[in-house]
Amino acid sequence: FDKVWFAYTEQDWVLRDVSFEVQSGQKIAFVGSTGAGKSTIINLLTRFYEINRGKIAINGHDIDDYELSQLRQLVGLVLQDVFLFSGTVYENITLNHPGISLEQAKRAAEVVGADKFIENLPGGYMYNVQERGATLSAGQRQLIAFARVIAFDPSILILDEATSNIDTESEEMIQAAIDKVLAGRTSILVAHRLSTIQKADQILVMEKGQIVERGNHQSLLEQNGIYRRLYTLQFE
């Protein structure tokens, strides 16, 4: 991101002069209050919206130079609310992609630890999921979303508040799955729970559409600013 400005409505800036760089394989995290601009960054990277000023590039190429389908194949997105479709667990992991076999879907589920609960469902991978996954818990839906990411193997992974709907019992299992999904992958994390981002290479603190603090977990604590205050509220 190079000097990016963005407004949903004219001159009502949601992002103001935002610049950052993520090296291949690095993990970068965004924190800040609701409305600070964190999710907007994701919407711009995936071109759900177009920027007003500045430049966004992947591997040195402006994202406008990519076909939309090509750009979105590069990026895997796991949101706070996982959308599951009416169909089998297998179809929900592969999104009916003809190039992903049942064996590959099973391997993806094993990597994130979803295989245990899937195999206990009536019919296992052929179990019919109701729309939005109504018959599954929030943790189970999230694990299927992570298995989907492993199956598609995108270069860049975005997790947007991916643990915020998870109960404490599931959180440990989800955190273990996240660690496996992130391994060796360029990752962008948006989080309210600071426990999920402490290992990030770079943490950017946002306020009113601007980056106001940046560093790793330890250096931000030492700055004694907004991040330190958020951390103290959650852990002390």
Side-chain angles (χ1 to χ4, degrees), residues 87-91 102 105-106 118 121-129:
T88 64
V89 171
Y90 166 53
E91 288 166 341
L102 178 57
K106 285 181 176 179
I118 293 171
L121 295 170
Y125 287 83
M126 294 303 138
Y127 173 75
N128 215 32
V129 177

Side-chain angles (χ1 to χ4, degrees), residues 21 26 52 80 132 144 170 189 203 217:
E21 191 172 332
Q26 268 195 343
N52 298 72
Q80 180 175 344
R132 301 202 74 87
I144 288 176
S170 305
L189 316 173
I203 299 170
H217 172 69

Side-chain angles (χ1 to χ4, degrees), residues 86-143:
S86 181
T88 64
V89 171
Y90 166 53
E91 288 166 341
N92 269 285
I93 291 174
T94 64
L95 299 177
N96 275 332
H97 192 293
I100 303 173
S101 68
L102 178 57
E103 282 311 306
Q104 287 170 305
K106 285 181 176 179
R107 280 201 297 275
E110 281 167 20
V111 169
V112 297
D115 55 320
K116 299 172 187 65
F117 88 81
I118 293 171
E119 284 160 8
N120 286 328
L121 295 170
Y125 287 83
M126 294 303 138
Y127 173 75
N128 215 32
V129 177
Q130 291 179 17
E131 190 157 322
R132 301 202 74 87
T135 55
L136 302 175
S137 71
Q140 289 170 335
R141 292 195 296 273
Q142 203 64 275
L143 286 174

Side-chain angles (χ1 to χ4, degrees), residues 27 108-116 146 149-150 157 173-185 187 199:
K27 298 168 188 60
E110 281 167 20
V111 169
V112 297
D115 55 320
K116 299 172 187 65
F146 290 137
V149 165
I150 294 289
L157 177 61
M173 181 173 65
I174 295 294
Q175 195 54 54
I178 287 174
D179 290 343
K180 287 175 180 168
V181 169
L182 297 182
R185 206 183 298 272
S187 309
K199 297 176 193 166

Side-chain angles (χ1 to χ4, degrees), residues 204-223:
L204 305 184
V205 182
M206 297 197 68
E207 193 173 67
K208 296 177 182 171
Q210 292 179 299
I211 297 168
V212 290
E213 293 173 12
R214 63 176 87 206
N216 61 22
H217 172 69
Q218 197 53 47
S219 72
L220 284 171
L221 287 180
E222 288 164 8
Q223 283 179 39

